[in-house]
Amino acid sequence: MKKMFFFVFLLSVLFLFFACENDKIKPGFSGNGAADKISDPENITTVEKQDITQMYEAVGTIRPLTESVIESQVSAQVIKVSCVPGTAVKKGQLLIQLDARQLTTRLQQAKEGLAVAKNNLKQNYKSMDEAKAGFDQAKAAYNRMEKLFESDIVTSQKLEIDKAGYLQAKARLEKSQEAELSSKASIRQAEELVKEAQIALGYSAITSPATGVVVERMIDPGDLAVPGKPLLMIQTSGALRLEANVREGLISRIILGNNYQVRIETIGKTVVSKIDEIVPYADPTTRTFLVKASLPDTPGIYPGMFGRLLIPVEKEKTLLIPQKAVIRAGQLELVYVKKDGAWQSVYIKTGKIFDEKIEVLAGLTGNETIGYK
């Protein structure tokens, strides 16, 4: 019973398959005879055979030719953001204001440390003056006593006492000189801390490095800005370029400095680009090379849009007819072809569009005479 059911089911499937096959309309003459004959059309042309260069389309993204990523140099809370995407900014213009209270306190502490170091140096100068005066006095006494000892006027014990006083005064003077050098070093260190604190305080006001347009904003008031975290992206020149990924088998066809067409699907335009850079490294995951092509100034093109870099591959014989000659009825495409002195409809299959003409993939063989209104 199961075998009989399966056999009936198989016959039903085969019947439906062949029935559907017979309903398909193949390219070529419709075969309706007089029903397809029409009056003379307004335009008559011949199906052209042309050598068309086939293009490989490398997809990519439009990016600014030059752009700057704005990051914070210090960790602080964002107080104010003075721009939004699309805002035109000038070099040096304030973009983001960070909370500067902690940085201001650090600068004040550094200045106080510098003041203390300078005061210590003044005290060292006084101590050094006193030590030098004592040293001069002790040295004079020791020299006088040494002469008296040579004349046998004083004893050696008296000479030893004056010598000890001289050496002590000398040691105090050397100590005060070392203290002077240490104080000067402390001042230099304090001055560096002040400079560092001033620079850090300057980082609290983030300004534009160049004239341009803000294209992306990644921060809002209240957020924490930390070094290495992008805050804004600025397009610093009006020029744009397409960054496309080209498969490794075609990278040899890309020549640096040559012109190639770029198709921008969104605005329906094809522009001429110039290859500016070919990254000499293939992505091991996608097996593609990054190619950068500069774009001309074209209205309607913006960073982030989708584009295709057209790379010539090879030439093929292609049949072309005017787009206006194609008549579409639902999913069917047909043209009127002159055969045996009469106009008859022919089903065709079309392909790519070339300006005002369209490629014919099936239904025509070339050199036919076609007509259209």
Side-chain angles (χ1 to χ4, degrees):
M1 187 66 181
K2 291 183 178 179
K3 291 184 178 180
M4 180 62 70
F5 176 77
F6 177 76
F7 181 72
V8 173
F9 175 75
L10 181 60
L11 288 177
S12 301
V13 172
L14 292 175
F15 175 78
L16 291 175
F17 174 76
F18 285 111
C20 293
E21 277 296 310
N22 293 332
D23 289 341
K24 291 183 178 178
I25 299 176
K26 297 181 179 180
F29 285 94
S30 62
N32 293 334
D36 293 326
K37 295 181 180 180
I38 62 171
S39 59
D40 291 338
E42 298 178 3
N43 301 290
I44 299 176
T45 186
T46 303
V47 179
E48 302 178 19
K49 281 187 178 181
Q50 292 187 7
D51 288 331
I52 300 297
T53 302
Q54 299 298 319
M55 297 289 185
Y56 169 77
E57 299 180 348
V59 298
T61 303
I62 296 174
R63 300 188 184 279
L65 184 62
T66 56
E67 59 185 8
S68 297
V69 178
I70 307 300
E71 299 180 357
S72 176
Q73 300 294 321
V74 295
S75 296
Q77 188 178 28
V78 177
I79 299 299
K80 182 181 179 181
V81 182
S82 303
C83 58
V84 295
T87 302
V89 295
K90 296 181 179 180
K91 183 178 181 179
Q93 180 177 335
L94 179 64
L95 301 177
I96 299 174
Q97 180 63 54
L98 303 180
D99 187 357
R101 290 175 296 178
Q102 184 177 358
L103 300 175
T104 302
T105 302
R106 186 188 305 175
L107 176 60
Q108 186 62 33
Q109 291 174 347
K111 288 182 177 180
E112 291 175 357
L114 177 60
V116 171
K118 289 182 177 180
N119 185 61
N120 290 338
L121 180 61
K122 291 181 181 179
Q123 297 299 325
N124 289 333
Y125 280 143
K126 293 181 181 179
S127 298
M128 189 170 62
D129 291 340
E130 294 177 0
K132 191 173 186 311
F135 170 76
D136 292 340
Q137 184 179 1
K139 183 178 180 180
Y142 173 66
N143 291 336
R144 185 172 59 254
M145 194 59 59
E146 192 175 28
K147 291 179 180 180
L148 293 175
F149 175 76
E150 292 175 353
S151 301
D152 293 331
I153 298 176
V154 297
T155 62
S156 59
Q157 183 179 5
K158 179 61 176 173
L159 179 62
E160 291 295 332
I161 294 173
D162 287 347
K163 183 179 180 181
Y166 163 72
L167 294 176
Q168 291 176 356
K170 183 179 180 181
R172 284 194 295 270
L173 177 60
E174 291 176 349
K175 185 177 181 180
S176 64
Q177 290 174 342
E178 292 176 356
E180 177 193 11
L181 295 176
S182 178
S183 296
K184 289 182 178 180
S186 298
I187 290 177
R188 289 194 296 270
Q189 184 178 3
E191 288 174 343
E192 292 299 324
L193 291 176
V194 170
K195 290 180 181 179
E196 181 181 348
Q198 288 174 337
I199 293 173
L201 182 59
Y203 287 148
S204 64
I206 301 176
T207 58
S208 176
T211 300
V213 177
V214 178
V215 295
E216 189 174 359
R217 168 176 162 177
M218 297 85 86
I219 200 74
D220 290 302
D223 293 343
L224 180 64
V226 295
K229 178 183 179 181
L231 307 179
L232 296 171
M233 183 176 292
I234 297 178
Q235 179 182 341
T236 53
S237 71
L240 299 173
R241 68 182 177 189
L242 178 74
E243 296 184 3
N245 295 311
V246 179
R247 58 186 176 91
E248 58 185 12
L250 293 176
I251 193 62
S252 60
R253 297 180 180 270
I254 302 295
I255 300 176
L256 191 66
N258 280 14
N259 294 332
Y260 294 82
Q261 290 183 328
V262 170
R263 178 72 177 173
I264 312 299
E265 299 291 345
T266 306
I267 61 175
K269 290 185 179 180
T270 299
V271 298
V272 178
S273 67
K274 182 179 180 181
I275 303 299
D276 288 335
E277 181 181 347
I278 301 174
V279 178
Y281 174 79
D283 187 333
T285 304
T286 60
R287 304 298 180 187
T288 58
F289 287 83
L290 180 62
V291 176
K292 301 178 182 179
S294 60
L295 301 175
D297 186 13
T298 305
I301 299 180
Y302 300 96
M305 293 178 66
F306 175 79
R308 300 177 187 268
L309 178 64
L310 306 182
I311 305 171
V313 180
E314 58 186 1
K315 291 186 177 181
E316 291 184 354
K317 288 287 184 181
T318 304
L319 301 181
L320 297 179
I321 61 174
Q323 291 191 54
K324 295 180 180 179
V326 180
I327 301 174
R328 291 178 173 84
Q331 296 183 350
L332 300 179
E333 298 174 317
L334 58 90
V335 293
Y336 289 114
V337 177
K338 194 169 187 180
K339 182 181 179 183
D340 299 330
W343 294 99
Q344 296 186 16
S345 60
V346 177
Y347 295 107
I348 64 171
K349 182 180 180 182
T350 60
K352 296 180 180 178
I353 296 175
F354 299 92
D355 296 329
E356 296 181 356
K357 295 187 177 182
I358 191 168
E359 177 185 15
V360 178
L361 301 176
L364 301 175
T365 59
N367 297 323
E368 293 96 339
T369 301
I370 61 175
Y372 60 97
K373 294 182 180 181

Short mmCIF file of all heavy atoms in Angstrom, two decimals, residues 288-313:
data_model
loop_
_atom_site.label_atom_id
_atom_site.label_comp_id
_atom_site.label_asym_id
_atom_site.label_seq_id
_atom_site.Cartn_x
_atom_site.Cartn_y
_atom_site.Cartn_z
N THR A 288 41.76 40.52 0.68
CA THR A 288 41.56 41.74 -0.12
C THR A 288 42.59 42.78 0.27
O THR A 288 43.14 42.76 1.38
CB THR A 288 40.15 42.32 0.09
OG1 THR A 288 39.95 42.60 1.49
CG2 THR A 288 39.09 41.35 -0.41
N PHE A 289 42.83 43.70 -0.68
CA PHE A 289 43.72 44.83 -0.44
C PHE A 289 42.88 46.10 -0.30
O PHE A 289 41.86 46.26 -0.97
CB PHE A 289 44.69 45.02 -1.62
CG PHE A 289 45.78 43.98 -1.68
CD1 PHE A 289 45.55 42.75 -2.27
CD2 PHE A 289 47.04 44.24 -1.16
CE1 PHE A 289 46.55 41.79 -2.35
CE2 PHE A 289 48.05 43.29 -1.23
CZ PHE A 289 47.81 42.07 -1.82
N LEU A 290 43.33 47.00 0.56
CA LEU A 290 42.66 48.28 0.73
C LEU A 290 43.21 49.27 -0.28
O LEU A 290 44.41 49.53 -0.32
CB LEU A 290 42.86 48.81 2.15
CG LEU A 290 42.19 50.15 2.47
CD1 LEU A 290 40.69 50.04 2.32
CD2 LEU A 290 42.55 50.62 3.88
N VAL A 291 42.31 49.81 -1.11
CA VAL A 291 42.67 50.78 -2.14
C VAL A 291 41.93 52.08 -1.87
O VAL A 291 40.72 52.07 -1.61
CB VAL A 291 42.32 50.25 -3.55
CG1 VAL A 291 42.61 51.30 -4.60
CG2 VAL A 291 43.08 48.97 -3.84
N LYS A 292 42.65 53.20 -1.93
CA LYS A 292 42.06 54.51 -1.65
C LYS A 292 42.12 55.36 -2.91
O LYS A 292 43.19 55.55 -3.50
CB LYS A 292 42.81 55.20 -0.51
CG LYS A 292 42.80 54.38 0.78
CD LYS A 292 43.58 55.06 1.88
CE LYS A 292 43.59 54.21 3.16
NZ LYS A 292 44.36 54.84 4.25
N ALA A 293 40.94 55.86 -3.32
CA ALA A 293 40.82 56.66 -4.55
C ALA A 293 40.16 57.99 -4.23
O ALA A 293 39.07 58.02 -3.65
CB ALA A 293 40.01 55.90 -5.59
N SER A 294 40.82 59.09 -4.59
CA SER A 294 40.26 60.42 -4.33
C SER A 294 39.12 60.71 -5.28
O SER A 294 39.13 60.30 -6.45
CB SER A 294 41.35 61.48 -4.49
OG SER A 294 41.88 61.46 -5.80
N LEU A 295 38.11 61.43 -4.80
CA LEU A 295 36.91 61.73 -5.57
C LEU A 295 36.84 63.22 -5.89
O LEU A 295 37.29 64.06 -5.09
CB LEU A 295 35.66 61.32 -4.78
CG LEU A 295 35.55 59.84 -4.39
CD1 LEU A 295 34.32 59.63 -3.52
CD2 LEU A 295 35.49 58.96 -5.62
N PRO A 296 36.27 63.59 -7.01
CA PRO A 296 36.08 65.02 -7.31
C PRO A 296 34.97 65.60 -6.44
O PRO A 296 34.17 64.88 -5.86
CB PRO A 296 35.69 65.00 -8.80
CG PRO A 296 35.05 63.67 -9.00
CD PRO A 296 35.77 62.71 -8.09
N ASP A 297 34.95 66.92 -6.39
CA ASP A 297 33.91 67.60 -5.61
C ASP A 297 32.57 67.40 -6.32
O ASP A 297 32.32 67.96 -7.39
CB ASP A 297 34.25 69.09 -5.51
CG ASP A 297 33.28 69.83 -4.59
OD1 ASP A 297 32.53 69.15 -3.89
OD2 ASP A 297 33.28 71.08 -4.60
N THR A 298 31.72 66.59 -5.71
CA THR A 298 30.43 66.24 -6.31
C THR A 298 29.30 66.49 -5.32
O THR A 298 29.35 65.98 -4.20
CB THR A 298 30.41 64.75 -6.73
OG1 THR A 298 31.53 64.49 -7.58
CG2 THR A 298 29.13 64.41 -7.46
N PRO A 299 28.29 67.28 -5.67
CA PRO A 299 27.16 67.51 -4.75
C PRO A 299 26.45 66.21 -4.42
O PRO A 299 26.27 65.35 -5.28
CB PRO A 299 26.26 68.46 -5.55
CG PRO A 299 27.15 69.09 -6.57
CD PRO A 299 28.17 68.05 -6.92
N GLY A 300 26.06 66.07 -3.17
CA GLY A 300 25.30 64.90 -2.74
C GLY A 300 26.13 63.77 -2.18
O GLY A 300 25.57 62.79 -1.70
N ILE A 301 27.47 63.88 -2.24
CA ILE A 301 28.34 62.83 -1.70
C ILE A 301 28.79 63.25 -0.31
O ILE A 301 29.30 64.36 -0.11
CB ILE A 301 29.55 62.59 -2.61
CG1 ILE A 301 29.10 62.13 -4.00
CG2 ILE A 301 30.48 61.55 -2.00
CD1 ILE A 301 30.23 61.85 -4.96
N TYR A 302 28.62 62.33 0.65
CA TYR A 302 28.99 62.60 2.04
C TYR A 302 29.78 61.43 2.61
O TYR A 302 29.66 60.29 2.13
CB TYR A 302 27.74 62.85 2.89
CG TYR A 302 26.91 64.03 2.42
CD1 TYR A 302 25.81 63.83 1.60
CD2 TYR A 302 27.24 65.32 2.80
CE1 TYR A 302 25.05 64.90 1.15
CE2 TYR A 302 26.48 66.40 2.36
CZ TYR A 302 25.39 66.19 1.54
OH TYR A 302 24.65 67.25 1.11
N PRO A 303 30.60 61.68 3.63
CA PRO A 303 31.35 60.59 4.27
C PRO A 303 30.41 59.52 4.81
O PRO A 303 29.33 59.82 5.33
CB PRO A 303 32.11 61.30 5.40
CG PRO A 303 32.22 62.72 4.96
CD PRO A 303 30.95 63.00 4.21
N GLY A 304 30.83 58.27 4.67
CA GLY A 304 30.05 57.15 5.16
C GLY A 304 29.15 56.52 4.13
O GLY A 304 28.58 55.45 4.37
N MET A 305 29.00 57.15 2.95
CA MET A 305 28.14 56.60 1.91
C MET A 305 28.80 55.40 1.25
O MET A 305 30.01 55.21 1.32
CB MET A 305 27.79 57.68 0.88
CG MET A 305 26.92 58.79 1.43
SD MET A 305 26.57 60.10 0.22
CE MET A 305 25.59 59.20 -0.98
N PHE A 306 27.99 54.62 0.54
CA PHE A 306 28.43 53.40 -0.13
C PHE A 306 28.84 53.71 -1.56
O PHE A 306 28.20 54.52 -2.24
CB PHE A 306 27.29 52.38 -0.11
CG PHE A 306 27.58 51.11 -0.87
CD1 PHE A 306 28.36 50.12 -0.32
CD2 PHE A 306 27.07 50.92 -2.14
CE1 PHE A 306 28.62 48.95 -1.01
CE2 PHE A 306 27.31 49.76 -2.83
CZ PHE A 306 28.09 48.78 -2.27
N GLY A 307 29.93 53.09 -2.02
CA GLY A 307 30.39 53.30 -3.39
C GLY A 307 31.02 52.04 -3.95
O GLY A 307 31.37 51.11 -3.21
N ARG A 308 31.16 52.03 -5.28
CA ARG A 308 31.77 50.88 -5.95
C ARG A 308 32.90 51.37 -6.85
O ARG A 308 32.69 52.26 -7.68
CB ARG A 308 30.74 50.13 -6.81
CG ARG A 308 29.55 49.58 -6.03
CD ARG A 308 28.56 48.92 -6.98
NE ARG A 308 27.33 48.52 -6.30
CZ ARG A 308 27.13 47.32 -5.77
NH1 ARG A 308 28.11 46.42 -5.83
NH2 ARG A 308 26.00 47.02 -5.19
N LEU A 309 34.08 50.78 -6.68
CA LEU A 309 35.21 51.07 -7.56
C LEU A 309 35.14 50.10 -8.74
O LEU A 309 35.18 48.88 -8.55
CB LEU A 309 36.52 50.90 -6.80
CG LEU A 309 37.80 51.12 -7.61
CD1 LEU A 309 37.89 52.57 -8.09
CD2 LEU A 309 39.03 50.76 -6.78
N LEU A 310 35.04 50.63 -9.97
CA LEU A 310 34.88 49.82 -11.17
C LEU A 310 36.26 49.53 -11.76
O LEU A 310 36.97 50.45 -12.19
CB LEU A 310 33.99 50.53 -12.18
CG LEU A 310 32.62 50.98 -11.66
CD1 LEU A 310 31.81 51.62 -12.79
CD2 LEU A 310 31.86 49.79 -11.08
N ILE A 311 36.61 48.24 -11.80
CA ILE A 311 37.93 47.82 -12.28
C ILE A 311 37.74 47.07 -13.60
O ILE A 311 37.04 46.05 -13.64
CB ILE A 311 38.62 46.91 -11.25
CG1 ILE A 311 38.70 47.63 -9.89
CG2 ILE A 311 40.01 46.50 -11.73
CD1 ILE A 311 39.17 46.74 -8.78
N PRO A 312 38.33 47.55 -14.71
CA PRO A 312 38.22 46.84 -15.98
C PRO A 312 38.85 45.45 -15.89
O PRO A 312 39.97 45.30 -15.41
CB PRO A 312 39.00 47.74 -16.96
CG PRO A 312 39.09 49.08 -16.28
CD PRO A 312 39.11 48.80 -14.82
N VAL A 313 38.12 44.43 -16.37
CA VAL A 313 38.61 43.05 -16.29
C VAL A 313 38.92 42.51 -17.68
O VAL A 313 40.05 42.18 -18.00
CB VAL A 313 37.60 42.16 -15.55
CG1 VAL A 313 38.11 40.73 -15.48
CG2 VAL A 313 37.33 42.69 -14.15
#
